[in-house]
Amino acid sequence: MRSSGGSRLGDVFWRRPGLPVLVMLTPPVLWLGIVYVGSLLTLLMQSFYSLDDFSGLVVPEFTLSTYAQLLTPANFDIIRRTVVMAALVTVADAIIAFPIAYMAARYARGHWKALFYLAVMLPLWSSYLVKVYAWKLILAKEGILNWLFETLHLTPLLDLVLAIPGVGGNSLSVSSIGTFLVFVYVWLPYMILPTQAALERVPANLVDASSDLGGRPSATFRHVILPLAFPGIVAGSIFTFSLTLGDYIIPQIVGTSRLFIGQAVYAQQGTAGNIPLAAAFTVVPVVIMGIYLTIAKRLGAFDAL
Amino acid sequence: MRSEDGRAPLFLRLAAAGGLVYLLGPLLIIFVYAFTTEERSFVWPPPGLTLKWFAVAWNRPDVTAAIVLSLQVAAVATVIAMVLGTLCAAAVSRSRFFGRETISLLVILPIALPGIITGIALRSAFATFEIPFSFWTIVLGHATFCIVVVYNNAVARFRRTSQSLVEASMDLGADGFQTFRHVILPNIATALLAGGMLAFALSFDEVIVTTFTAGQQQTLPLWMLEELIRPRQRPVTNVVALFVVAATFLPILAAFYLTRDGEHVAGAGK
């Protein structure tokens, strides 16, 4: 006969399988519920307050006037610029990631497989700031890219690109092209991994069946592999899109003086002391990501995560 | 008929090779810059090579203090994330229950939403409830978004651990805790270790959330950010950057070897 408290508890757990699940779930749900969701709700509440223009103090009364401020041309411009950048970065990442993911999933074996894995994991887990810093070194006026262009006698071409209004600038490190390059680089591994996972799950016999039935490689690719890999690409795009929407450090270090959403939030809550407007600004990426995640779920991206 | 073992088309190999250079090139450049003799600008190629900046960096108290704080925060945040992440993974993989989807969403949300939102949300909560900034406010934020990496690693392993092993253990007279200690834990240990190391790396590197929760304290990423915006001694930054790359390389390599068996073989995905 068993008598220790531990075993009796174990028996209770065994007879009522719902109970241990409840016990196990309580700590993490309490933590995430209180620390995270609680904080999010506090923030949301702040966005319905407003800032008194004369005293500079937050007025804790319900109003929509702070949200109305988001629609002023200057603020709306920030939102549009950020969303366009996030979309461009996502598309570029999908294009660059696909060949890497495809090679890693379907051709690489043995040492090559390990190399591909490390080549993705190293930049993914390397310090975010170190990556940004490395690009500062690459894009600087005396840096590697300019040296490369000079060595190849292509400097006039670079100058021509930098002269384009809206995307160019004095040098690569103070242009929107620079911001774009760094964003694409920093989030690329987040696109490769889900794409690769989706490609690895494409059953080999489907590919064989397609070619047995006379499908040329390009047709097999278009009608079998690509549709099956698509949820993985959408899953990756959740990260690339969301991370670009909220980032404020990359455009601060590499880029023009025109603000992105993250920078606006940072400036409003810091120097300007306008917490309500900062909170309202953060609601924008939350709403956009809410819509994005709903669509992604429909496309099956969550099963590909 | 084309077979899977065939060689990849040339354009695919070129595109993938280009991608690998793009991924790894910038990290290699950091290595070169750590040894440059140039003090003020980012001149390429380096005019000369030296080791002296390593000594200079090592003797900077602000650098060592930042490293120590980052290590402490990462250690505590990792322990919390491992406990909470494992519990959550065990519950979710064990049964289907109402709200299961909500729980997975709740766990993934802190990294699915931009870091600045987590950061400013925590800050406004601290302000509302008048919680002063401290070591623990940093840990609070870090543990929250580290849960998901432990959870992901653990959930994958739980799914591959057969429930019949647990049943056999119980049939043979083991109680719940003996079963956990001798059957479940050995099965999930390497996944937990890998998840823990990734959580550690994630916390060690986190800057966006930390900006909002650190107050006056300076973790290593905050030190780096300060140097990026207002550079004081460029070569020291180069050396610290090299150190950080090396410090993240080791846990990743270790995590790779721990989870390698079976999980990264082609077709092993669900």
Side-chain angles (χ1 to χ4, degrees):
Chain A
M1 176 163 167
R2 296 194 246 153
S3 59
S4 81
S7 65
R8 211 174 305 135
L9 202 57
D11 290 345
V12 173
F13 279 3
W14 189 240
R15 274 193 298 274
R16 300 191 46 193
L19 201 62
V21 170
L22 195 70
V23 172
M24 286 189 283
L25 271 180
T26 309
V29 168
L30 277 183
W31 179 285
L32 288 168
I34 294 173
V35 175
Y36 189 67
V37 179
S39 300
L40 281 184
L41 291 177
T42 319
L43 183 68
L44 187 66
M45 199 174 70
Q46 299 264 355
S47 70
F48 291 106
Y49 295 165
S50 63
L51 194 75
D52 187 295
D53 286 335
F54 297 104
S55 65
L57 294 173
V58 175
V59 185
E61 282 165 25
F62 182 87
T63 170
L64 285 173
S65 68
T66 309
Y67 280 99
Q69 282 180 45
L70 287 182
L71 298 175
T72 58
N75 289 337
F76 191 73
D77 225 35
I78 294 173
I79 295 170
R80 198 184 49 205
R81 180 178 311 123
T82 313
V83 172
V84 168
M85 177 62 89
L88 290 175
V89 167
T90 300
V91 171
D93 270 336
I95 293 171
I96 300 173
F98 198 84
I100 303 174
Y102 196 74
M103 279 294 278
R106 305 202 77 79
Y107 290 103
R109 295 284 177 273
H111 289 304
W112 281 101
K113 189 98 186 164
L115 177 80
F116 269 102
Y117 176 77
L118 286 176
V120 178
M121 290 316 260
L122 263 186
L124 173 66
W125 289 98
S126 284
S127 166
Y128 161 84
L129 282 173
V130 168
K131 285 180 277 188
V132 180
Y133 184 60
W135 276 92
K136 188 93 182 156
L137 298 174
I138 294 169
L139 298 173
K141 243 190 160 66
E142 328 82 61
I144 295 166
L145 263 186
N146 274 326
W147 170 81
L148 198 68
F149 275 103
E150 212 165 295
T151 316
L152 298 171
H153 302 289
L154 289 172
T155 308
L157 184 72
L158 180 66
D159 290 339
L160 206 68
V161 174
L162 284 176
I164 302 171
V167 283
N170 280 332
S171 81
L172 275 173
S173 68
V174 288
S175 67
S176 299
I177 302 174
T179 320
F180 172 76
L181 280 174
V182 184
F183 270 135
V184 170
Y185 175 79
V186 172
W187 312 138
L188 181 59
Y190 293 86
M191 180 62 92
I192 297 176
L193 287 176
T195 309
Q196 184 181 338
L199 282 169
E200 276 174 354
R201 272 179 240 152
V202 176
N205 53 10
L206 271 187
V207 178
D208 289 342
S210 169
S211 50
D212 283 351
L213 292 168
R216 293 172 51 81
S218 61
T220 304
F221 179 79
R222 231 186 8 258
H223 298 295
V224 179
I225 295 173
L226 204 56
L228 287 170
F230 190 66
I233 299 173
V234 176
S237 78
I238 294 173
F239 294 106
T240 57
F241 195 79
S242 168
L243 289 166
T244 313
L245 276 189
D247 193 274
Y248 70 95
I249 289 174
I250 290 173
Q252 187 186 0
I253 291 170
V254 178
T256 64
S257 55
R258 283 168 302 182
L259 296 182
F260 283 74
I261 290 180
Q263 290 170 290
V265 171
Y266 190 72
Q268 291 300 339
Q269 68 88 33
T271 42
N274 193 344
I275 299 282
L277 186 56
F281 256 118
T282 59
V283 172
V284 175
V286 175
V287 170
I288 294 175
M289 284 319 293
I291 298 168
Y292 203 106
L293 289 173
T294 314
I295 298 171
K297 202 173 157 67
R298 290 255 170 87
L299 292 171
F302 281 28
D303 304 321
L305 273 177
Chain B
M1 196 183 106
R2 285 174 62 83
S3 112
E4 275 294 291
D5 305 317
R7 283 171 73 80
L10 182 65
F11 76 91
L12 179 62
R13 274 185 282 158
L14 285 178
L20 290 190
V21 171
Y22 181 62
L23 278 169
L24 292 175
L27 293 178
L28 294 176
I29 283 159
I30 290 281
F31 279 72
V32 179
Y33 270 97
F35 299 95
T36 184
T37 48
E38 170 65 44
E39 287 191 34
R40 271 174 299 280
S41 65
F42 301 128
V43 172
W44 182 270
L49 300 173
T50 174
L51 280 171
K52 82 167 189 185
W53 301 116
F54 286 84
V56 176
W58 183 248
N59 288 317
R60 281 272 294 266
D62 55 333
V63 174
T64 39
I67 291 175
V68 169
L69 179 63
S70 276
L71 290 175
Q72 287 171 333
V73 168
V76 178
T78 301
V79 170
I80 297 174
M82 280 180 83
V83 173
L84 297 178
T86 312
L87 284 173
C88 212
V92 165
S93 59
R94 225 183 124 136
S95 58
R96 309 204 143 261
F97 54 88
F98 180 73
R100 191 164 166 268
E101 293 263 305
T102 318
I103 303 262
S104 4
L105 185 68
L106 194 61
V107 172
I108 205 172
L109 212 54
I111 57 156
L113 286 181
I116 194 168
I117 293 170
T118 313
I120 194 177
L122 286 171
R123 190 190 192 108
S124 70
F126 294 154
T128 309
F129 299 104
E130 292 175 5
I131 301 168
F133 292 117
S134 71
F135 174 79
W136 293 103
T137 51
I138 310 180
V139 169
L140 211 66
H142 285 206
T144 303
F145 60 73
C146 282
I147 294 175
V148 67
V149 278
V150 179
Y151 170 84
N152 276 345
N153 271 277
V155 121
R157 187 61 62 86
F158 272 123
R159 285 203 184 118
R160 298 198 298 133
T161 305
S162 167
Q163 185 66 27
S164 55
L165 277 179
V166 176
E167 283 166 15
S169 164
M170 300 296 239
D171 282 349
L172 292 169
D175 63 43
F177 295 95
Q178 286 172 328
T179 303
F180 178 76
R181 168 79 184 75
H182 296 292
V183 177
I184 300 176
L185 198 58
N187 263 301
I188 63 167
T190 51
L192 283 190
L193 199 55
M197 269 183 299
L198 295 178
F200 190 91
L202 195 63
S203 163
F204 191 76
D205 180 40
E206 162 54 46
V207 58
I208 294 188
V209 175
T210 321
T211 321
F212 293 93
T213 58
Q216 294 301 315
Q217 308 183 73
Q218 209 171 36
T219 61
L220 197 61
L222 289 185
W223 182 91
M224 279 280 302
L225 182 61
E226 181 74 24
E227 287 299 308
L228 280 176
I229 297 167
R230 278 177 289 275
R232 282 172 289 178
Q233 209 172 7
R234 285 238 163 88
V236 173
T237 316
N238 294 336
V239 170
V240 172
L242 175 67
F243 168 78
V244 173
V245 171
T248 33
F249 186 82
L250 297 175
I252 293 160
L253 220 53
F256 171 57
Y257 280 107
L258 286 173
T259 53
R260 185 179 47 160
D261 302 321
E263 270 178 46
H264 298 288
V265 180
K270 296 174 279 176

